[in-house]
Amino acid sequence: MSIPALSSQLRSHFKIGVFDSGVGGLTVLKEMTAQMPHESVIYFGDTARVPYGNRSKSEILRFVREIIAWMIDLDVKMIIMACNTSSALVLEEVRSEFPIPILGIILPGARAAVKAGKSIGVVSTEATAKSNAYQQAVQEIDSSAQVWQVGCHDFVPLIEDDRIHAPYTLAVARRYLLPLIDAGIDTLVYGCTHYPHLAPVFKQILPTHIKLVDPAKHLTVAAAQELTILRLRRSSNSPIEPTEFYVSGDPEQFANVSQQWLGYKPLVKQIPVSELEMIHAASSSTSDR
Ligand code: DGL
């Protein structure tokens, strides 16, 4: 698949679009705020359609196209897929369709995993596990590394419903993690951006010699490098602007759940799915796609 030339309209003062199905992408946003405080972000959580992890590739492709078309209308200079499922299933397709840099999280995660160990466990959504994206990416970098992938159907709804500290969540986490510990992994990758929110739970189960890899950190390093190469980085004396938050579902629910990680209650606006669909329909009728 060929990648189209980048639009000449992109400007360094534009914002960066970051999206996920829900609160998972906040783990990426947190890294961006720490590593690139002068960049300004539009965050979108597709909470009306979460979870993505049990959906088909064609559904995810449709959702991601809609989100990207909407973000381009808001004048963003880069799109960050803060979602492993979308990155695993549709990154190549959307990269070949939109004239804007689009970054996925699998490759930065796989690179970091290979640096950390040789026996790599990956916990992810079922769709990401089935896609084999992590296994392929890891083995392209180091063919001697071994990869165990576990699709964890139950985690995302528990996180979105703010049930991280429930005893049931600990029991579910044991069910997913114990087979990986038994397999002898030395490294565990959070293969879903929601899962770093479960760190307090994982740490109760995992032996301390297993290294935890959060791809969000490495994706953010890659994004900063790409912006520099493209001369789209904001200067370090640019004013720091608050993140703009949008969701397709209930803004109040998102604001309430997310404040524990953001450290403040965000102002969240709703962009209904019907509006995303309309914007995408209008943009595809005026392009060659
Ligand atoms: N946080 C996303 C991921 O990294 C999506 C999870 C979901 O909606 O199932 O895969």
Side-chain angles (χ1 to χ4, degrees):
M1 251 175 262
S2 66
I3 297 189
L6 294 182
S7 161
S8 57
Q9 315 285 316
L10 305 176
R11 296 288 177 268
S12 59
H13 69 269
F14 285 7
K15 296 183 185 237
I16 300 175
V18 175
F19 76 86
D20 178 45
S21 59
V23 296
L26 297 177
T27 58
V28 176
L29 179 65
K30 193 172 152 202
E31 285 299 327
M32 292 177 68
T33 312
Q35 292 185 38
M36 301 193 279
H38 299 281
E39 296 297 339
S40 167
V41 173
I42 294 178
Y43 184 94
F44 175 73
D46 199 358
T47 54
R49 302 187 284 200
V50 67
Y52 277 11
N54 321 325
R55 292 183 181 273
S56 66
K57 176 172 172 167
S58 62
E59 275 179 303
I60 294 185
L61 184 55
R62 179 159 53 85
F63 300 167
V64 171
R65 281 177 171 150
E66 289 167 7
I67 296 164
I68 294 177
W70 168 70
M71 283 186 162
I72 288 176
D73 265 11
L74 297 179
D75 278 348
V76 296
K77 61 184 175 186
M78 168 179 274
I79 307 265
I80 296 196
M81 287 188 168
C83 171
N84 288 266
T85 309
S86 312
S87 307
L89 271 63
V90 303
L91 176 64
E92 295 311 317
E93 271 93 341
V94 290
R95 265 195 181 153
S96 71
E97 294 173 359
F98 293 94
I100 185 164
I102 305 176
L103 269 66
I105 193 164
I106 305 281
L107 193 57
R111 285 201 183 114
V114 166
K115 280 197 190 137
K118 278 273 180 200
S119 301
I120 299 164
V122 182
V123 278
S124 71
T125 65
E126 289 186 311
T128 301
K130 275 192 203 131
S131 77
N132 264 332
Y134 268 102
Q135 171 137 21
Q136 280 164 13
V138 163
Q139 288 181 339
E140 262 168 43
I141 305 165
D142 178 354
S143 57
S144 69
Q146 277 190 295
V147 180
W148 286 267
Q149 302 171 100
V150 178
C152 308
H153 178 273
D154 297 338
F155 278 152
V156 167
L158 289 169
I159 297 163
E160 290 287 331
D161 292 346
D162 205 5
R163 293 180 58 204
I164 288 169
H165 301 289
Y168 177 72
T169 305
L170 181 63
V172 168
R174 277 193 209 286
R175 173 156 53 83
Y176 292 133
L177 296 181
L178 291 182
L180 291 171
I181 299 170
D182 288 347
I185 59 163
D186 56 28
T187 303
L188 181 68
V189 180
Y190 290 120
C192 170
T193 52
H194 279 75
Y195 300 172
H197 294 320
L198 290 171
V201 180
F202 279 27
K203 285 179 183 156
Q204 290 177 58
I205 302 168
L206 293 172
T208 47
H209 73 273
I210 296 181
K211 283 173 238 139
L212 274 165
V213 171
D214 182 356
K217 282 194 178 62
H218 309 277
L219 167 58
T220 306
V221 172
Q225 284 168 349
E226 180 93 0
L227 287 174
T228 303
I229 293 167
L230 296 172
R231 297 175 183 273
L232 288 174
R233 189 93 190 247
R234 281 193 183 189
S235 78
S236 55
N237 48 23
S238 313
I240 293 180
E241 292 170 5
T243 301
E244 282 179 48
F245 291 94
Y246 296 87
V247 293
S248 52
D250 178 2
E252 192 55 21
Q253 155 85 3
F254 183 90
N256 286 334
V257 180
S258 62
Q259 61 181 326
Q260 61 192 297
W261 301 299
L262 293 169
Y264 60 93
K265 186 168 174 179
L267 181 69
V268 186
K269 295 184 198 148
Q270 193 191 27
I271 167 96
V273 166
S274 53
E275 212 168 306
L276 291 172
E277 287 169 348
M278 258 163 37
I279 293 167
H280 178 238
S283 78
S284 23
S285 66
T286 54
S287 78
D288 294 330
R289 288 201 308 277

